[in-house]
Amino acid sequence: MTRLMTATAMALILASPALATEITVVAANLAPYVDPGRDHSNVGSQFYFNSFDPLIHKDYSKVEQEWQPGLATEWKLIEPTVMELKLREGVTFHNGEAMTADDVVFSLNRMFQATFPPYQVRQRDRLANFDRAEKIDDLTVRVIARQEEPLWETLLNLQQLFILPMDYTMGLTGDPKVAEDTDFEAFSLAPVGTGPYKVTEFVPSEKLVWERFDGFWGDKAPLDKVTVIHVPEVASRLTALKTGEADIATNIAPDQLAQIEADADLKAEGMLTPLFHVMIMNQNHPKLKDARIRQALSLAIDRDALNEALWLGKSLVPDSHTYEEFGALYMPELKTFSYDPVKAKALLAEAGYDGFEVTFDTQGSYYTNGLLAAQAITEMWGAVGIKASIRDLPKWSGNDPEMMTRNWSNPMYFADPFGSFGVMWAPGGPSESEGRFNTDDAYKAAWEKFRFGKTVDERKVAYAELMGFHQAEPAVLPLYRPYESWAMRKGVMWKPKAGHIPYVLDFRAGSVTVE
Amino acid sequence: MMAATRPAPMAFWQSLGPFHRIVVALSLALVALAVLAPWAAPFAPTDQSLMSRFKPPYGFDGAKDGFFLGTDELGRDLLSRCIWGLRLTLSLAFLGTAVGLLIGATLGLLAGVTGGWTEAAIMAAVDMQIAIPFTLVALFLLSMLGTSTLVMVLVLGIAGWEQYARIIGAETRRLMAMPFVEAARAAGATPARIAGVHLLPNLVSPIVVQMTLSFSNIILLESSLSFLGLGVQPPTATLGAMVGVGRDYMPNAPWIVLAPSLLILSVTFVVQVLGDLARDRADVRLRRR
């Protein structure tokens, strides 16, 4: 017996170095491009953390923000609006270039002083307070803010401020000394960063392959190779898992969990993902201009019923656009959103609703349970007398003037009301710039107070005021904070970490082991 | 002489063997179910009861009273959705067949009557249509024009026109050489009159046979397009769309896929058998044997 065990152990020891650790992930969605700066989607967020680093890292295992050195090793405010950062020595990009202050200044200024339109949206919605970055010497940079910034570390930790190589990017197309829009387009198909995995193959919307980057400055990656494949149907993802084709499957609806638990080889890991699935309404659609119609659309949706039925009660229905993670700024007492079909009917009658059809846009399997929720919501609208139909579109329609209502999500990009509500509903942010949401001077003034308020109380008062605007002129209804699950082989030790933005596939050292 | 005194449907029924009688009865039942859907279905096809999703059919553990075939992923009655789905699938197939017949017969007659370069052009189009995989064309059209019932009917119609055109074209050419056409022409009849009055009645049997044959193809095409999500939009049910949605729940709720699949199977089977029957009756050479 002992001999057999020794032999087995020997065999394992001999065998393991030869066995490369490779895993395959089947994902419900795969990004059409990979550029952490322009992207803020739930699809892209899966990919950036393995290949890129921010200047300031954090402990991603917990919700509380505990900052750690990233590509910067020290940082301090030298003036109320100026932060100086010392860069880490000996960091190399995947293409072999050494990282210097030039790369950092380039990466930051491409966002702060954006010329490429997709960057401009991100600049306006979350980075507007940053004026510029400056090089002091090869390993020192300064970031200059326009006014005192309460969220320095939080913002420098953002995915949009991950660092990429200057010479490589500018040399991709045209003049190698100038950053053209086409350089950024090209970069998004052949991304290069400093993270523990390099992207070795990327087929837009189909496939992404990571391989371990041996020149990584931190703890080396635990996996040799990770292949992510786009498999939209949940049944196909589970089949791939069962046949051993895949090791991890993303976006598993609660309906499927029993089936995974029944399989001795599989398990599921889930969490209340820090984002809201929301229903948005186009304030500028001619037929939805009357706020009472939009109020009725919002009041007619029984979100608790959606949670009970589609999420088996595992999701969380919010009273306002607020997350527990906000700490002192968590404001469930606001009760901004509620279910009141009687009031909905009364408002419709008052507004003289004439039975016109309201369309609800959704995109197939993009959101877990998205199409089911769409059908349940239109049925709930039917119950208060609203004629509704679904448009199942292959693409985003939030910028289409014909769009009346649709599903969307508001992720929590960082644990502050500015990190979820603030980003999506900022004056000039993604909703307003797509022409389906309007802000006036009063809204802008309240927004400034909420964003830069010196005390928690000042910010809370301003936030309550903003929620009041959204109650009076509805453009969004947070439906629920979904319970998302990942299914995997029992031999894979992985789970989503609470400190990440939603859907990050974190395969760094300490985050995953494979038997 | 006995046969002539009996009403035609009775005579037809009596001339059938037991197998064909079953099939004919089944086809009548399916059509009746589709036509009477508003009364036959116990629920509206979109009626949800979110708290009773995935209830299995009668005879299985956890079945719910009143839901004979169980419920689907939104707690809708599967039996009602099957009946309404059958209604929509059959209507689309009938309309599609009619559109195909209209296009195909017109072009076929035109080709046969006029001959010359018109015929050459029409027959070239027929050959082209046969050479292109039609599902691809259908996918292209639906993604360009969007998914509406009207577009769907047109796409399904275009799917079968070339068969009609070819058969009718060939048959017309043959008939054009017959003495009675010759006589009509000598009497000064216009080509349109010859086509409508003298040719069309003689074309009825090949057309009927072709219609039954292409009907089941159209049902299958509609089902595959809906399965791919390019058919009518949810929550409206067609049989193919139900199969498409149900595949996500195959391991935990197989009835959502099985019920509409079995219906598609029986409809196409019945139509195929009826098509064979019609061909046997229409073909003089076969009848003699």
Side-chain angles (χ1 to χ4, degrees):
Chain A
M1 190 59 199
T2 321
R3 264 179 57 196
L4 180 66
M5 277 173 67
T6 321
T8 318
M10 284 293 288
L12 279 174
I13 290 161
L14 288 175
S16 40
L19 277 175
T21 350
E22 290 186 13
I23 63 165
T24 300
V25 180
V26 280
N29 295 296
L30 215 138
Y33 58 81
V34 179
D35 176 347
R38 69 194 277 190
D39 199 352
H40 74 155
S41 70
N42 301 330
V43 178
S45 65
Q46 298 176 105
F47 305 108
Y48 300 111
F49 189 68
N50 288 335
S51 295
F52 295 90
D53 291 297
L55 291 168
I56 300 175
H57 260 305
K58 65 184 243 194
D59 181 350
Y60 291 97
S61 65
K62 52 179 152 194
V63 173
E64 299 78 43
Q65 300 183 325
E66 195 179 301
W67 307 115
Q68 292 177 348
L71 295 182
T73 49
E74 304 164 33
W75 54 93
K76 59 172 186 294
L77 277 181
I78 55 169
E79 277 172 48
T81 57
V82 179
M83 178 170 274
E84 187 168 280
L85 300 103
K86 287 278 173 216
L87 301 183
R88 188 181 290 276
E89 276 182 76
V91 175
T92 41
F93 286 105
H94 300 149
N95 64 348
E97 274 179 54
M99 183 200 74
T100 67
D102 289 323
D103 298 302
V104 173
V105 169
F106 164 77
S107 303
L108 300 185
N109 282 344
R110 92 187 198 288
M111 303 304 301
F112 298 163
Q113 298 165 353
T115 51
F116 183 44
Y119 293 155
Q120 288 173 333
V121 186
R122 299 290 87 81
Q123 189 273 334
R124 280 199 300 271
D125 69 26
R126 65 201 74 182
L127 302 169
N129 191 35
F130 293 115
D131 182 58
R132 63 189 188 279
E134 279 177 1
K135 175 182 174 177
I136 302 303
D137 61 49
D138 266 358
L139 289 173
T140 313
V141 294
R142 281 184 192 164
V143 177
I144 292 106
R146 294 176 206 276
Q147 53 176 304
E148 280 183 49
E149 174 54 71
L151 303 164
W152 269 106
E153 283 92 349
T154 306
L155 293 175
L156 288 176
N157 175 256
L158 283 185
Q159 167 195 310
Q160 283 74 24
L161 297 184
F162 285 177
I163 302 303
L164 37 114
M166 177 175 79
D167 291 342
Y168 167 80
T169 308
M170 296 205 300
L172 284 170
T173 65
D175 186 339
K177 294 272 175 266
V178 182
E180 295 120 335
D181 288 359
T182 49
D183 288 331
F184 297 124
E185 291 287 1
F187 180 88
S188 72
L189 300 176
V192 167
T194 56
Y197 293 92
K198 56 186 174 192
V199 176
T200 53
E201 191 188 342
F202 175 54
V203 186
S205 307
E206 270 179 41
K207 185 182 182 189
L208 183 140
V209 179
W210 280 303
E211 283 178 39
R212 177 194 286 126
F213 171 49
D214 289 318
F216 178 55
W217 56 270
D219 292 337
K220 299 285 179 280
L223 306 174
D224 292 290
K225 187 176 174 188
V226 182
T227 307
V228 187
I229 303 170
H230 183 201
V231 180
E233 291 85 20
V234 68
S236 315
R237 289 201 293 284
L238 287 180
T239 310
L241 208 55
K242 284 186 176 170
T243 57
E245 250 177 275
D247 304 279
I248 300 181
T250 73
N251 299 64
I252 305 295
D255 284 340
Q256 265 83 17
L257 290 179
Q259 192 192 329
I260 291 157
E261 276 153 24
D263 192 318
D265 300 326
L266 303 181
K267 62 174 178 177
E269 296 285 357
M271 71 179 289
L272 267 178
T273 301
L275 96 168
F276 291 135
H277 282 189
V278 303
M279 184 274 294
I280 51 171
M281 295 162 274
N282 185 352
Q283 292 184 332
N284 293 322
H285 191 284
K287 293 191 166 161
L288 299 183
K289 280 221 154 89
D290 190 331
R292 288 170 297 188
I293 302 272
R294 280 176 280 122
Q295 284 165 355
L297 288 169
S298 182
L299 289 167
I301 299 176
D302 184 354
R303 299 174 300 156
D304 288 315
L306 293 177
N307 180 26
E308 280 307 314
L310 305 183
W311 299 91
L312 312 180
K314 285 169 182 281
S315 292
L316 188 132
V317 175
D319 292 317
S320 186
H321 205 306
T322 188
Y323 291 84
E324 257 184 283
E325 280 89 338
F326 295 170
L329 287 155
Y330 175 51
M331 298 172 77
E333 69 275 13
L334 288 180
K335 311 273 180 236
T336 314
F337 308 105
S338 55
Y339 169 56
D340 191 343
V342 179
K343 196 171 166 198
K345 276 186 198 165
L347 283 166
L348 288 171
E350 219 180 288
Y353 171 67
D354 62 359
F356 65 78
E357 193 175 71
V358 176
T359 53
F360 185 98
D361 297 355
T362 178
Q363 185 180 345
S365 59
Y366 190 92
Y367 298 110
T368 307
N369 278 341
L371 192 53
L372 288 187
Q375 294 178 78
I377 287 170
T378 47
E379 189 72 6
M380 288 168 181
W381 284 346
V384 297
I386 299 166
K387 189 168 181 289
S389 71
I390 293 170
R391 296 200 299 172
D392 185 1
L393 304 168
K395 59 178 190 329
W396 172 242
S397 63
N399 49 0
D400 176 356
E402 297 286 302
M403 189 275 293
M404 296 176 86
T405 68
R406 79 161 280 146
N407 53 8
W408 194 30
S409 72
N410 285 180
M412 188 181 80
Y413 296 109
F414 46 89
D416 185 275
F418 174 43
S420 176
F421 165 81
V423 162
M424 298 310 219
W425 303 96
S431 301
E432 187 165 33
S433 65
E434 289 189 330
R436 56 185 154 80
F437 172 60
N438 311 318
T439 60
D440 55 13
D441 289 342
Y443 187 94
K444 286 193 185 92
W447 203 90
E448 284 295 307
K449 269 189 256 167
F450 141 72
R451 170 72 176 86
F452 296 106
K454 295 278 185 294
T455 65
V456 166
D457 281 338
E458 196 182 340
R459 295 191 68 199
K460 283 177 89 163
V461 169
Y463 196 69
E465 201 182 329
L466 287 174
M467 287 299 114
F469 283 112
H470 278 268
Q471 215 167 7
E473 277 287 345
V476 60
L477 170 71
L479 297 170
Y480 33 70
R481 177 175 174 168
Y483 184 86
E484 285 282 13
S485 303
W486 288 256
M488 64 203 84
R489 261 196 317 115
K490 278 221 166 111
V492 179
M493 300 299 156
W494 183 87
K495 57 174 69 174
K497 285 186 167 176
H500 277 301
I501 57 172
Y503 301 108
V504 172
L505 288 170
D506 176 355
F507 295 135
R508 290 188 178 223
S511 299
V512 65
T513 52
V514 177
E515 277 165 21
Chain B
M1 286 317 279
M2 281 295 284
T5 57
R6 257 180 275 158
M10 276 305 286
F12 173 69
W13 181 254
Q14 302 228 315
S15 70
L16 295 174
F19 170 70
H20 282 134
R21 283 187 184 181
I22 293 172
V23 170
V24 168
L26 194 58
S27 71
L28 292 175
L30 287 169
V31 170
L33 207 55
V35 171
L36 301 176
W39 298 276
F43 298 92
T46 52
D47 270 2
Q48 299 170 2
S49 56
L50 285 176
M51 293 306 145
S52 25
R53 309 164 66 217
F54 303 122
K55 296 292 178 212
Y58 276 13
F60 293 87
D61 278 350
K64 198 172 177 233
D65 271 352
F67 298 90
F68 183 69
L69 288 180
T71 63
D72 71 358
E73 72 282 0
L74 283 166
R76 296 172 295 207
D77 178 39
L78 206 59
L79 176 66
S80 305
R81 282 182 74 74
C82 277
I83 294 173
W84 279 95
L86 177 73
R87 178 185 170 97
L88 189 53
T89 297
L90 285 183
S91 326
L92 284 172
F94 272 117
L95 285 171
T97 309
V99 170
L101 176 64
L102 197 72
I103 301 174
T106 314
L107 290 176
L109 270 175
L110 192 66
V113 173
T114 54
W117 68 266
T118 320
E119 185 185 13
I122 291 172
M123 288 304 141
V126 167
D127 289 340
M128 250 153 46
Q129 169 105 3
I130 293 171
I132 300 168
F134 190 75
T135 315
L136 202 68
V137 179
L139 288 176
F140 177 75
L141 286 175
L142 283 170
S143 48
M144 292 301 291
L145 300 173
T147 49
S148 74
T149 315
L150 181 70
V151 176
M152 192 74 182
V153 166
L154 286 177
V155 165
L156 295 176
I158 304 170
W161 75 270
E162 84 280 5
Q163 299 292 343
Y164 298 108
R166 200 160 59 153
I167 290 169
I168 292 169
E171 193 66 14
T172 308
R173 223 174 305 126
R174 193 180 63 80
L175 291 172
M176 285 297 280
M178 301 288 265
F180 68 91
V181 177
E182 202 92 2
R185 204 183 294 153
T190 60
R193 188 179 161 79
I194 293 174
V197 176
H198 300 283
L199 296 178
L200 214 48
N202 287 291
L203 292 167
V204 167
S205 39
I207 288 176
V208 168
V209 173
Q210 182 53 40
M211 269 172 72
T212 46
L213 289 177
S214 76
F215 192 79
S216 58
N217 287 337
I218 286 185
I219 287 179
L220 290 178
L221 178 65
E222 189 278 323
S223 298
S224 19
L225 291 174
S226 296
F227 174 83
L228 293 172
L230 283 161
V232 292
Q233 294 284 288
T236 312
T238 71
L239 297 176
M242 291 170 70
V243 175
V245 169
R247 83 196 132 144
D248 272 355
Y249 307 100
M250 243 177 326
N252 55 334
W255 56 90
I256 301 178
V257 161
L258 281 177
S261 307
L262 289 174
L263 258 181
I264 294 175
L265 185 75
S266 31
V267 171
T268 45
F269 174 74
V270 160
V271 174
Q272 283 287 346
V273 171
L274 289 182
D276 276 354
L277 189 66
R279 192 198 56 207
D280 292 352
R281 295 294 166 100
D283 193 319
V284 184
R285 280 162 299 171
L286 282 173
R287 200 160 32 183
R288 265 195 212 122
R289 250 183 260 145

